Amino acid sequence: MYLLLIFLPLIGSFCAGLFGRKLGPLGASCITVSCLCLTFFISLFVFYEVSLSNCCVYIKLTPWIDSEMLNVDWGFLFDSLTVVMCCVVTFVSFIVHLYSTEYMAHDPHLPRFMSYLSLFTFFMLILVTADNFIQMFVGWEGVGLCSYLLINFWFTRIQANKAAIKAMVLNRIGDFGLVIGILIVFIEYKAVDYATVFALTPIFTDKFFNFLTFDFDLISLICFFLFVGAVGKSAQLGLHTWLPDAMEGPTPVSALIHAATMVTAGVFLIARTSPLFEYTPSILSLITIAGACTAFFAATVGLLQNDLKRVIAYSTCSQLGYMVFACGLSNYSVGVFHLVNHAFFKALLFLGAGSIIHAVADEQDMRKMGGLKKLLPFTYSMMVIGSLALLGFPFLAGFYSKDVILEVAYGKYTLEGHFSYILGSLGAFLTAFYSTRLVYLTFLSSPNGYKSVICAAYDSSYQICISLFLLSIPSVLIGFYAKDMLIGFGSDFWGNAIFVSVESMNRVDAEFITHIYKILPVFLSLLGALSSFLLYLFSSKLLIQLKMSITGKKVYNFFNKKWFFDKIYNEYISQAFFTMSYTVTYKIVDRGIIEVFGPMGLSSIITKKASDISKLQTGYLYHYTFLMLTGFTLVLGIRQFWVVLGSYVDFKIFILFFVLSFFIRKK
Amino acid sequence: MIILNINYILNIIITLFLIGALGLVLNRKNILITLMSIELMLLAINLNFVIFSIYLDDITGYIFVLFILTIAAAESAIGLAILTIYYRLKNTIQIDKIKRIKG
């Protein structure tokens, strides 16, 4: 049953992928959706059995790699962290499957799409249930691969291809870091399974590891590289540029990638390896700062995007920043709690956006929408729920987790804690602002689209509405109902899944911070939402004036162009790499050094020298006789010469003469 | 009886041999001179054999001289025969013109 949870999506994927032609779109959708539905119910059961009944399950399937020290099994570990992730992943994935059956109904490649979606879910389940780093890496690479396949699902579009390659390459940079981390773990611990590694970690606290001839603290080094992996997957500042571009895929794909599966893997990794991270305060503060910067950066960028999906994409990036800095403050359970809440309302937002895009003839620009409130009442209500949950409206899902994150940030009483609190609060304000802006521009402003499009706009039918409705329930309720279980005070829900050292535990401190700092984020959020609403409703002229002023233009450009990250990366890093690979590695090394010293140069030198030597035979008799004479003289004379001058002259000089004789040329 | 130093005679012989060898190398006009140079070198060698045969009081040197004389005669006969045939074909025996076989 536990294995069925993992392998049902794979079975569904194989059925839809291999026999899609036989099954047809309807059959493929039926099989994959029912597989996922079953998986979801199984994961609910597993959730009950594992975490509510406090009964961890460990299944060792079969040895995979068994070579002296290195022992890797196909093992599946179900503890609280895993089953929480399983429930979230399978639920959102099930909803996305259901949604795709209608959203993609007119696509000729629907079976392929369903197959990829199921495969994605399978790899994500492998990732979360793995009991060792290697198997986790299988899932890690698998979701990267599936994201590639899904982002360029419409492979005829050049933009989709480029976005998919970008996602793959940027993820691969992070994966490289993760691989290095895993290798260091193996070198030092001689084991890659979680149980051994986490049990041994306290012994390795003051050990050093020689990396690139520098001595680093072992655990810090490992955690740094694991974090590099998480940066790539969770789109933290630095490797975040792939995430907004991944919008080129179909909308359900964005929902799957951004809400529940791919990007949460980084946060999951940090939470899973919390027994390692707890021993490196330096890396934890690095994580905190990186997460806080991401949260703030993405919120500012999301503020002035005009693409509906891009706004939501940047809000994902921003929320991931919150999760990561919660983990950096050693409150892994809070990070995972936000992950759960975020999965639901972000999936709701993305699928709602898909519904809007579906209704207005695939128009994604918010400036060309507007006035859809009356036309899409259901989608409107769902988007409002999603946006309110995202901006942390009191008593919705986002409120419970985001406020706790900011509380523990302030309650840390360290420099990076306060830093992340300030950036997080500003981020909360901006999040509220752009969420409201999104809702206003799409639904409330006066219609800006073409008349034919607006006239044809309508709410989508059953599957889309049902999936939106199903997502809206946890978006509202999950925060309240799961709060006490996941981050409640003294809750033993997590068991051994998450380890927090006594020194860094600060939930009690966070509980007793000054009241004003507790209320501030909510206040800022509401202020952001309200100001955005009022500004757009009453004084849009003022906003236009602000935007058209000289500084306003610069600021607008700066944020709209994503702080020029892409520009800098493209012009200074990618171009430099391309130039280097053309001029240095291709022109100088491959076509230059290797050819000159390798086959080409050698053969040409030998041919030239051979022709030089054969030119000695001029055809004139007296030249031949001269050569014979000199040859004889040399052969006979050399020994006599040696006897006379051997002790005075170094024999190496004759080697020089001999070599030089090859360079004699006829003028 | 005048007793000659062997080194003196050997010097003469080597001079003769060198004249022959240089005649081969430096001659650029007449192929007959080439043949004559070869004869001269063979003569120098013969003389060398004779001298050493006397000096070492050994008969083997004389035997070799007789052989070489025969061989030299045969060689010059064949050489001249080739020369005449070549002249018949090419109508010239100038060395400058004989350069058909190049490397």
Side-chain angles (χ1 to χ4, degrees), chain A residues 365-378:
Chain A
D365 199 326
M366 288 199 294
R367 292 169 297 189
K368 297 182 187 167
M369 294 178 183
L372 296 174
K373 183 178 71 166
K374 293 266 172 54
L375 299 166
L376 312 171
F378 184 74

Side-chain angles (χ1 to χ4, degrees), chain A residues 614 617-620 622 624-625, chain B residues 25 96 98-99 101-103:
Chain A
S614 95
Q617 306 175 343
T618 49
Y620 289 113
Y622 43 86
Y624 293 150
T625 48
Chain B
V25 174
D96 301 19
I98 305 172
K99 52 167 189 176
I101 307 167
K102 278 188 190 171

Side-chain angles (χ1 to χ4, degrees), chain A residues 173-378:
Chain A
I173 296 171
D175 296 346
F176 185 62
L178 184 64
V179 169
I180 293 176
I182 294 173
L183 291 179
I184 296 172
V185 165
F186 176 68
I187 289 169
E188 284 297 319
Y189 290 79
K190 310 286 182 214
V192 285
D193 60 314
Y194 292 144
T196 319
V197 173
F198 296 160
L200 288 178
T201 304
I203 306 171
F204 287 96
T205 44
D206 46 3
K207 209 160 177 232
F208 286 90
F209 186 81
N210 192 293
F211 184 74
L212 297 177
T213 74
F214 292 105
D215 271 335
F216 291 103
D217 182 46
L218 171 66
I219 297 177
S220 297
L221 194 67
I222 293 170
C223 288
F224 174 75
F225 282 119
L226 293 184
F227 179 58
V228 170
V231 165
K233 211 51 123 191
S234 284
Q236 298 299 300
L237 200 60
L239 296 178
H240 64 279
T241 50
W242 68 271
L243 192 62
D245 285 6
M247 293 297 106
E248 292 298 333
T251 314
V253 173
S254 313
L256 202 57
I257 290 178
H258 287 216
T261 49
M262 181 128 165
V263 293
T264 55
V267 181
F268 170 80
L269 177 71
I270 298 176
R272 170 56 82 200
T273 51
S274 54
L276 282 169
F277 277 98
E278 274 306 288
Y279 289 97
T280 67
S282 54
I283 299 298
L284 280 180
S285 37
L286 173 72
I287 293 179
T288 314
I289 291 167
C293 289
T294 312
F296 179 70
F297 155 79
T300 56
V301 175
L303 206 55
L304 292 171
Q305 295 297 313
N306 294 318
D307 189 312
L308 183 59
K309 285 171 78 181
R310 257 166 217 275
V311 174
I312 308 175
Y314 275 105
S315 89
T316 304
C317 201
S318 170
Q319 298 303 311
L320 284 164
Y322 281 98
M323 293 175 212
V324 166
F325 84 67
C327 289
L329 297 162
S330 301
N331 286 282
Y332 307 97
S333 53
V334 180
V336 176
F337 182 45
H338 193 53
L339 190 161
V340 172
N341 293 343
H342 172 259
F344 294 121
F345 61 68
K346 192 49 60 71
L348 177 61
L349 277 174
F350 263 116
L351 297 185
S355 177
I356 299 168
I357 292 165
H358 213 42
V360 294
D362 294 337
E363 177 58 61
Q364 294 198 12
D365 199 326
M366 288 199 294
R367 292 169 297 189
K368 297 182 187 167
M369 294 178 183
L372 296 174
K373 183 178 71 166
K374 293 266 172 54
L375 299 166
L376 312 171
F378 184 74

Side-chain angles (χ1 to χ4, degrees), chain B residues 63-103:
Chain B
I63 297 170
F64 266 96
V65 167
L66 285 173
F67 278 136
I68 291 170
L69 272 177
T70 5
I71 288 168
E75 178 249 298
S76 50
I78 293 168
L80 283 169
I82 292 172
L83 204 63
T84 43
I85 290 167
Y86 190 84
Y87 182 76
R88 228 180 269 159
L89 286 173
K90 293 285 173 185
N91 211 16
T92 177
I93 48 166
Q94 287 213 333
I95 297 185
D96 301 19
K97 301 288 174 357
I98 305 172
K99 52 167 189 176
R100 287 179 58 84
I101 307 167
K102 278 188 190 171

